[in-house]
Amino acid sequence: DDKTFSDIWTPYSRDFKEFYSNAVNDMEKYKDVKGVKAKPDKPDNFIPLSCVPWLSFSACSYDTYSPSPMLFPVIVFGKYFKQNNETFLPFTIFATHAVCDGYHVCLLINTIEELCKNCDEFIKAVY
């Protein structure tokens, strides 16, 4: 409503249905809290996952120097689009080379790609 970004987090669960339900509950509970950190007590071992649904992109960069160690990856999804009867969802991963190599980023990208190919399984698990 005010075009600002708020940060929430949800604990990981191997059970996707449980994780999804918890994430939806967190979004509902904190949807009206203003400020960057909407949900308190963020754990140290988190992975930022963000979405900019207003923008389709082919590249996105987060190369901003900071003296604080940012060792976790940052994943951003963009606006999906259709092309030649296929649906595409742009995303970018910012990863610090101090904690992972291109090989590790490729493993993550390949895993995300496989999950997207089989997204019907996740939808059936939730609905």
Side-chain angles (χ1 to χ4, degrees):
D1 60 346
D2 64 359
K3 313 294 188 275
T4 60
F5 174 85
S6 295
D7 188 10
I8 66 168
W9 56 272
T10 301
Y12 173 74
S13 172
R14 284 183 179 265
D15 181 309
F16 179 75
K17 189 171 185 174
E18 178 183 333
F19 175 76
Y20 182 79
S21 176
N22 291 340
V24 169
N25 289 337
D26 281 339
M27 287 187 282
E28 181 62 28
K29 182 175 181 178
Y30 296 98
K31 70 180 182 181
D32 295 322
V33 177
K34 304 299 179 194
V36 175
K37 302 296 179 194
K39 183 177 177 181
D41 304 320
K42 176 188 64 68
D44 290 334
N45 61 340
F46 76 104
I47 297 175
L49 178 64
S50 190
C51 184
V52 286
W54 316 276
L55 178 68
S56 281
F57 53 81
S58 59
C60 185
S61 177
Y62 292 94
D63 191 15
T64 55
Y65 174 76
S66 173
S68 66
M70 190 166 121
L71 301 178
F72 48 78
V74 176
I75 302 170
V76 177
F77 290 89
K79 180 181 181 180
Y80 75 90
F81 62 95
K82 295 193 181 253
Q83 181 176 317
N84 298 328
N85 295 321
E86 292 186 287
T87 302
F88 293 86
L89 178 65
F91 73 96
T92 185
I93 299 171
F94 172 83
T96 302
H97 199 265
V99 294
C100 72
D101 288 320
Y103 172 77
H104 302 102
V105 174
C106 288
L107 287 176
L108 177 58
I109 291 171
N110 290 338
T111 299
I112 291 171
E113 183 178 27
E114 286 304 310
L115 290 171
C116 289
K117 286 180 183 176
N118 300 307
C119 65
D120 288 345
E121 294 175 25
F122 288 98
I123 294 169
K124 288 177 188 174
V126 175
Y127 295 104

